[in-house]
Each structure stands twice: as structure tokens, then as C-alpha cells.
Amino acid sequence: MTANVIDVDDPHDPRLDDFRDLNSVDRRPDLPSGRGLVIAEGVLVVQRMLASRFTPHAMLGTERRLAELSADLDGVAAPYYRASAEVMADVIGFHLNRGVLAAARRPEMLTLEEVIDGARTIAVLEGVNDHENLGSIFRNAAGLAVDAVIFGAGCADPLYRRAVRVSMGHALLVPFARAQNWPQDLNILRDNGFEIIAMTPDPRALTLAEALDVRRDHRVAFMVGAEGPGLTETVMRASDARVRIPMSRGTDSLNVATAAALAFYERARDNG
Amino acid sequence: MTANVIDVDDPHDPRLDDFRDLNSVDRRPDLPSGRGLVIAEGVLVVQRMLASRFTPHAMLGTERRLAELSADLDGVAAPYYRASAEVMADVIGFHLNRGVLAAARRPEMLTLEEVIDGARTIAVLEGVNDHENLGSIFRNAAGLAVDAVIFGAGCADPLYRRAVRVSMGHALLVPFARAQNWPQDLNILRDNGFEIIAMTPDPRALTLAEALDVRRDHRVAFMVGAEGPGLTETVMRASDARVRIPMSRGTDSLNVATAAALAFYERARDNG
């Protein structure tokens, strides 16, 4: 079986409605007019969506991108609406360099218990409300052997189009869950043997290397907060250790996704 | 002496010309209509510009930001044009949340020899042509004890407004220079005792930890290339060691600024 290709040349074709006005179709379903579709852009991210639990129900793209995806689309039933770049631009509202899109409906959220099952290292986020930072954290998690991401209070939607794009599609592959009770659900992590490490710029904290050296054989959860305010004090107090990145004096903290990457790296460096 | 405050309420005032149409004033001086001004935005970045060798010749901002900068402006002769947010928006062409701007003319470039003098760790960039990545690299360099940045071929302008902003002003503080002959100038680094480390995703390369453990007492230059193509093979061959970040299988490489941050961190981690 090959790809299910359907040629379209009318930008008003209703079968393309899930890609119409692309800047709004990913709006969260709980928001006014939000449809909550998950959108993958570009060959690499569409490939990752096809490999994820976010099964696309439709794709829209050029002939060129269809050729690049042909092996991935073998046996995929969802239609690939083949269109010119001009028709695509008319439908989505702007010119898209990446040349291909896939749309998926949101499956049921995974539970915290599901995503930590078998995990050795996880990231726990509080107040990370910037889609680009969220996307970068997923990309860094995937590259540096982090098994899951947990959202505490105040985080943005990781399935927003920009977050998925910046994550290079890893927001669709690295399992994530939302804490139902924050920060009380940290106890679920602790009951499952996780040591909870709160990242902080506080110079009195342990360094990453000091804190992780003694936890090589433990499950570890790295908590990071928004740039600027950082983790709330309540959440700090619920941690097992406060840990810092050794920084030059006189500089402000690093970007939150970079700080997370350094923690993930320190954890993974002896397994390389 | 206090700040040199001048009230302006006419958006056409010619004294504000250096802030007019802000999206183009930072265009490189060698480009058509390029004036090459260096622009700092926001209180923190203006403070860093005032502490840098990029001496501002004029500032434009609101009363509120003037109050926040008052200690920094004590004794500063350059005028602070005080205006309403509305007048500012009329001048620069859009609304600026950060509320204050400073403009500096470009001083003479530093030489490679000047910026490596006394440096222990430096970053060498090739083909990093994205302003956001450049800005992030400067921010990470400042936070993680990197003393200077050298530009090889194909890099974007670190004094472009967006790069300065993303760097949190550190593009003005971390010394940088352009290689005049690339990659031959790597020999100048080598003649000055630098070990040249080329970052690569190649799985046959040494890990960062392995490569740096034996170079604790050496001067080190980390070379990174653009995301995607990475360093050119010519430059790879001119290095002393090829070094990788231990990565999960099946993932593409990290963002170039993140990869650089991990290298800087590995270098600094035992001095924390």
C-alpha cells in the first residue's frame, strides 16, 4: 500500500479546513474558538508525528515534500492533500517554507503515573510559559536522555504549533503529563523513588556535579522555573536538594532551556 | 553631576534621528543605507552598554526608565531624551515594551591578538549566521566563564539589535574579534598555546569530559559550526581534537548555542 494522495487545487476545498488560518487552529480547545489541533510542520517533524501517539488524520503538502516522505507514508491511511505552494499559502494564510503540514486531534492526556513508569530521569517545569523555551526543553530532553516531562502550575501548552516546531517534533515523542495537584503531586514522584532537585541561582546551593555525584543510582527529577522569578519558594521547600550551575559572577541566570540542558548533560555525561 | 535629561514631545525632532525607524538603523555600515549603529534596549542592556566600550551617544526613554537608570546615568554626558511611550512609538515605528533605548557608534574592531590576551577559554564560531543563536552564545559565554569569541567565516553580525538583545547585553561586554584569514588564523591561537577543540556529532569523537579532563591546565578554544552543516571539514582538520556531546540515539544534534553552553559548562564545572 502506498500513500493516500489526493490532489487539490481549490483553496476553498472544505477538506482543507483543518489547515485554514493556521495561526489559530492550534489554539487550545478550552479557549474560545480553540480547536486544539496539533500541527506538525516540515518533513522531519511530520516524520516524528507519524512515529508518535499523535496520529495525523490529514496532511497538506507539495509534491516535493511528498517525495521526501514517501517511505514514511507507506501504509498510512490519512490523506495527503497534494497542492501547489500557492494553494497552500492561500489556505493557511501565509507562505510556509517547510512545504508540508500534518494535523492530529489531541488524544487523551497521559497520567503522571504513566509517564514516570520506567523513567530514570525526568524534568518538572513550573511557570514555563514561553512556547519557545518549552520547545527547546523537549528538544534538549530528547537529546540528553530525559525520559519524561511533568508540568506543574503556570506552564504553556507544549502542543502549540511553535512549541512543536522548536522542539523539532520531540514534544510529540517525549512523554509528558500535567500534575493534577501542584505541588502536592511531587509526593507521587518521591513515593516512586525520585530525588527532587530544584534548580536555583542561589550561590549557597550545591553545584550540579556535587548533587548528582551522590545520586548516580537514584531516579532524579530536575525542577526548573520560569526565567526571572524561578521556582516558587513553596516548590523549593518541597525539593530534596537545591542545586546551582557554577556561574561567572555578575551575570544573570541562563535561559531556562539552557539551564535545563546543563542539568540533563551532567546527569548523562558519565553514560556517554 | 546628574543625568543630561532633555524633554522631547515632537516625534519629528531631528535629535531623535538615530532612533528613527529602529528596524533599520542597526543595518551593517557596509550594506546599502546601513548606518551600523549599536542599539541597546531595556534597562539591563542599557546598563551593560554603559559599562562597555560601546559608549552611547544618545538615549531615548520614558520617565519611568530614567528613574530606574538614575544611578547608572550619574555623570554620563550623553543626552537622555525623555519622551512619552506614544512619542517613542512614533519615532521608532512600533511600541517598545522595554521603554528605553541607547545608541552607540561602532568603535574600531578589536584584533584577535587583543581579545585572546590573558584568555583561558575562548569560543570560535564558523557559519553561525542566526542572530538569536549568536546572542545566546554570548549570553552563555558570559555566564559560563568564556573570555572571548572569535568569528571565522560566515557568521552574522553580533552587534545587530536582535543579537544584542538576546545576549542580554553580553555581546557588548564579552570581547570578540574577526579572523582576518580563515582558517589560517587558527595558527595564531595554536601559537599562543590554545588547544583547538572542534565540536561534532560524530560518534567516533571523544566525549567532552574525556577531551577536557586531559586539558585542565591548557588554554582551550571551542569551535562550533552552524546547526545542520556543522564545521567545514577543512576546519575540522585544523583542530587538535574532535569532541562530541554524549547524545541519545535517534536524535539530531542540539541547537548550536546549547551545544556551546554544554562545552563551556564542562570546562567550568570543576571551578565552581
Side-chain angles (χ1 to χ4, degrees):
Chain A
M1 188 179 158
T2 55
N4 175 13
V5 180
I6 300 173
D7 283 305
V8 286
D9 51 15
D10 175 7
H12 303 290
D13 190 319
R15 292 174 299 179
L16 306 184
D17 281 355
D18 280 351
F19 302 102
R20 203 169 300 288
D21 187 13
L22 194 64
N23 282 327
S24 73
V25 293
D26 57 347
R27 194 170 294 151
R28 276 179 19 224
D30 52 323
L31 294 179
S33 86
R35 306 179 55 202
L37 294 176
V38 183
I39 301 288
E41 299 167 89
V43 169
L44 179 68
V45 180
V46 170
Q47 285 169 329
R48 291 196 170 137
M49 179 180 265
L50 287 163
S52 80
R53 68 187 200 95
F54 298 86
T55 311
H57 61 271
M59 287 160 279
L60 169 64
T62 61
E63 165 61 27
R64 178 169 157 212
R65 300 308 180 195
L66 174 62
E68 292 173 33
L69 282 165
S70 64
D72 307 279
L73 292 178
D74 195 37
V76 170
Y80 185 102
Y81 295 109
R82 179 166 53 188
S84 67
E86 293 69 34
V87 168
M88 274 188 78
D90 274 357
V91 173
I92 66 180
F94 53 90
H95 177 75
L96 185 88
N97 268 326
R98 295 178 184 77
V100 62
L101 295 162
R105 295 187 192 88
R106 293 187 183 218
E108 202 157 327
M109 287 280 287
L110 301 173
T111 65
L112 194 150
E113 287 79 359
E114 283 171 325
V115 305
I116 66 174
D117 185 36
R120 184 178 169 267
T121 308
I122 63 175
V124 180
L125 316 184
E126 183 190 42
V128 179
N129 55 11
D130 176 277
H131 290 111
E132 224 165 295
N133 283 337
L134 265 190
S136 298
I137 288 172
F138 273 93
R139 182 178 180 186
N140 296 340
L144 297 164
V146 169
D147 306 301
V149 177
I150 308 291
F151 294 104
C155 293
D157 178 8
L159 298 178
Y160 185 77
R161 185 164 61 95
R162 182 134 157 264
V164 172
R165 182 176 68 223
V166 173
S167 81
M168 308 288 269
H170 290 296
L172 307 176
L173 289 170
V174 177
F176 64 85
R178 254 175 246 289
Q180 298 302 309
N181 298 288
W182 181 255
Q184 295 85 334
D185 280 1
L186 290 173
N187 289 326
I188 303 178
L189 301 182
R190 199 173 280 109
D191 292 346
N192 280 278
F194 282 92
E195 299 259 335
I196 301 173
I197 290 185
M199 301 298 295
T200 170
D202 187 338
R204 294 163 304 177
L206 296 170
T207 66
L208 262 178
E210 290 166 343
L212 291 181
D213 269 352
V214 298
R215 291 180 171 85
R216 294 267 166 237
D217 302 327
H218 289 79
R219 305 178 94 179
V220 164
F222 290 111
M223 283 205 299
V224 296
E227 241 174 296
L231 292 167
T232 57
E233 188 52 35
T234 317
V235 164
M236 274 300 185
R237 275 198 296 267
S239 71
D240 296 308
R242 300 181 188 213
V243 173
R244 68 184 168 86
I245 293 158
M247 298 277 294
S248 308
R249 267 175 296 191
T251 53
D252 37 3
S253 65
L254 295 164
N255 165 280
V256 60
T258 307
L262 299 180
F264 303 163
Y265 168 78
E266 178 66 43
R267 173 73 162 168
R269 81 190 267 279
D270 294 332
N271 305 320
Chain B
M1 187 179 160
T2 55
N4 176 13
V5 180
I6 300 173
D7 283 304
V8 287
D9 50 16
D10 175 8
H12 303 291
D13 190 320
R15 293 174 298 181
L16 306 185
D17 280 356
D18 281 351
F19 301 103
R20 203 170 299 290
D21 189 13
L22 194 65
N23 283 327
S24 73
V25 293
D26 57 347
R27 194 171 293 152
R28 273 174 26 218
D30 53 322
L31 295 179
S33 86
R35 305 178 57 202
L37 293 176
V38 183
I39 301 288
E41 299 167 272
V43 168
L44 179 69
V45 180
V46 170
Q47 285 169 329
R48 290 194 170 137
M49 178 178 267
L50 287 163
S52 81
R53 70 188 198 94
F54 298 85
T55 311
H57 61 271
M59 288 160 277
L60 169 63
T62 61
E63 166 61 27
R64 178 170 156 210
R65 300 309 180 195
L66 174 61
E68 292 173 31
L69 282 165
S70 64
D72 306 280
L73 292 176
D74 195 36
V76 169
Y80 186 102
Y81 295 108
R82 178 167 53 188
S84 66
E86 294 71 33
V87 168
M88 275 188 77
D90 274 359
V91 173
I92 68 182
F94 54 90
H95 177 75
L96 185 88
N97 269 326
R98 294 178 184 78
V100 63
L101 295 162
R105 295 187 191 88
R106 294 189 182 217
E108 203 157 324
M109 286 282 285
L110 301 173
T111 66
L112 194 152
E113 288 80 357
E114 282 172 324
V115 306
I116 67 173
D117 184 37
R120 183 178 172 270
T121 309
I122 65 176
V124 180
L125 316 184
E126 183 189 43
V128 179
N129 57 10
D130 176 276
H131 290 111
E132 224 165 296
N133 284 337
L134 264 191
S136 297
I137 288 172
F138 273 93
R139 183 179 180 186
N140 296 340
L144 297 165
V146 169
D147 304 303
V149 176
I150 309 290
F151 294 103
C155 293
D157 178 6
L159 299 178
Y160 185 77
R161 186 164 60 96
R162 181 134 156 264
V164 172
R165 183 176 67 222
V166 172
S167 81
M168 307 288 270
H170 290 296
L172 308 175
L173 289 169
V174 176
F176 64 85
R178 252 175 247 286
Q180 298 301 309
N181 299 288
W182 181 256
Q184 296 85 334
D185 280 2
L186 290 173
N187 289 326
I188 304 178
L189 301 182
R190 200 174 279 108
D191 292 346
N192 281 276
F194 282 92
E195 299 259 336
I196 300 174
I197 290 184
M199 300 297 295
T200 170
D202 187 338
R204 295 163 304 177
L206 296 171
T207 66
L208 261 179
E210 290 165 345
L212 291 181
D213 269 352
V214 297
R215 290 179 172 85
R216 295 266 168 238
D217 301 326
H218 288 78
R219 304 178 95 179
V220 164
F222 290 110
M223 284 205 299
V224 296
E227 241 172 293
L231 292 166
T232 57
E233 188 51 36
T234 317
V235 164
M236 262 324 171
R237 274 197 297 267
S239 71
D240 298 306
R242 300 181 189 212
V243 174
R244 68 184 168 88
I245 293 160
M247 298 278 294
S248 308
R249 268 175 296 191
T251 53
D252 39 1
S253 65
L254 295 164
N255 164 281
V256 61
T258 305
L262 298 180
F264 303 163
Y265 167 78
E266 178 65 43
R267 174 73 162 167
R269 80 189 268 279
D270 294 332
N271 306 319

